[in-house]
Amino acid sequence: MNERFDELRINLRAVQEKIEKAASAAGREPDEITLIAVTKFFPLSDVRALYDLGIRNFGENRDEEGAQKAGELASDALWHFQGQIQGRKIPSLLEWADYIHSLDSLDHATKCERRLAEMGESRAFFIQINLEPERTDRGGITLSQLPEFISAVRELRHLQVSGLMTVPPVDADPARSFAQIAAAADLVGVEGLSMGMSGDFEAAICAGATHIRVGSSILGSRPTPA
Ligand SMILES: *Cc1c(COP(=O)(O)O)cnc(C)c1O
């Protein structure tokens, strides 16, 4: 096998070992945690290599890129969209994304509902939480908006609320952010916790993460987007 394949194999193995350790330290089973390999900006050959290494969950941030890759891969691969949703991209997004991690607007939720009703399908969504409300350039609703938002989304029959997603503020202790999200999920009665990236997935597992989104620890530093 080629060098890149070996590199991915070694990186992936190291991440999986850390997942196992963190799970065991938290008294959890590693299979309670879905590892999403975030392949954004990396070529299809890397996605294929990870598939051959047993990965079935892939994360993408852009509609066109996700659609392209998903179209090339075997149908048992699952695609997670975690970028900011754009209203006009929703019909395309729903063609390839099995899970959407970044729901943060009722307008988008309603558009998804309409489209999914037409398709006769349903989809799993995570509601994105922004823990630094003063930063409006980031996706996500605030924790104070969550109860009202989630009851509105629960009215939409083709949207299943799987859980909450967050990217912790850079200057905060991630463990504290993850605990806040876990407590909020408990309060509103959702099970899924999409949290933890390359730098903090062990802390996220400790706080109960069910989905971790790991890019650079597996694939290396990201190429600049085309
Ligand atoms: C890019 C990205 C990731 C992966 O980040 P790494 O630090 O490379 O693991 C996870 N979540 C979101 C929302 C991202 O945009």
Side-chain angles (χ1 to χ4, degrees), residues 38 40 61 82 165 167 197-198 213-216 222:
V38 177
K40 64 179 180 216
N61 285 46
Q82 54 188 29
M165 181 277 234
V167 177
M197 315 189 349
S198 288
R213 310 177 310 269
V214 181
S216 46
R222 261 186 292 283

Side-chain angles (χ1 to χ4, degrees), residues 4 13-14 20 24 26 29 77 109 114 126 129 137 147 150 166 176 179 185 208:
R4 180 59 173 160
R13 189 64 217 133
E20 281 158 27
S24 143
E29 295 298 326
R114 216 175 291 142
F126 290 81
I129 305 293
D137 58 320
I150 202 167
T166 204
R176 189 170 171 275

Side-chain angles (χ1 to χ4, degrees), residues 136-150:
T136 48
D137 58 320
R138 279 206 163 180
I141 62 166
T142 64
L143 280 179
S144 59
Q145 293 170 319
L146 176 61
E148 200 180 328
F149 185 80
I150 202 167

Side-chain angles (χ1 to χ4, degrees), residues 68-103:
Q68 247 170 28
K69 288 174 177 169
E72 295 290 334
L73 229 67
S75 60
D76 64 338
L78 294 169
W79 293 88
H80 300 257
F81 178 77
Q82 54 188 29
Q84 294 216 13
I85 301 173
Q86 290 173 275
R88 66 191 169 84
K89 300 277 180 68
I90 284 173
S92 159
L93 194 57
L94 293 173
E95 292 296 327
W96 65 270
D98 299 290
Y99 296 84
I100 294 174
H101 289 244
S102 44
L103 186 65

Side-chain angles (χ1 to χ4, degrees), residues 85-91 94 102-115 125 141 149 152-153 156 159:
I85 301 173
Q86 290 173 275
R88 66 191 169 84
K89 300 277 180 68
I90 284 173
L94 293 173
S102 44
L103 186 65
D104 64 358
S105 121
L106 262 190
D107 176 47
H108 290 161
T110 310
K111 287 196 170 96
C112 289
E113 169 67 15
R114 216 175 291 142
R115 182 67 195 128
F125 288 78
I141 62 166
F149 185 80
V153 176
L156 306 172
L159 273 66

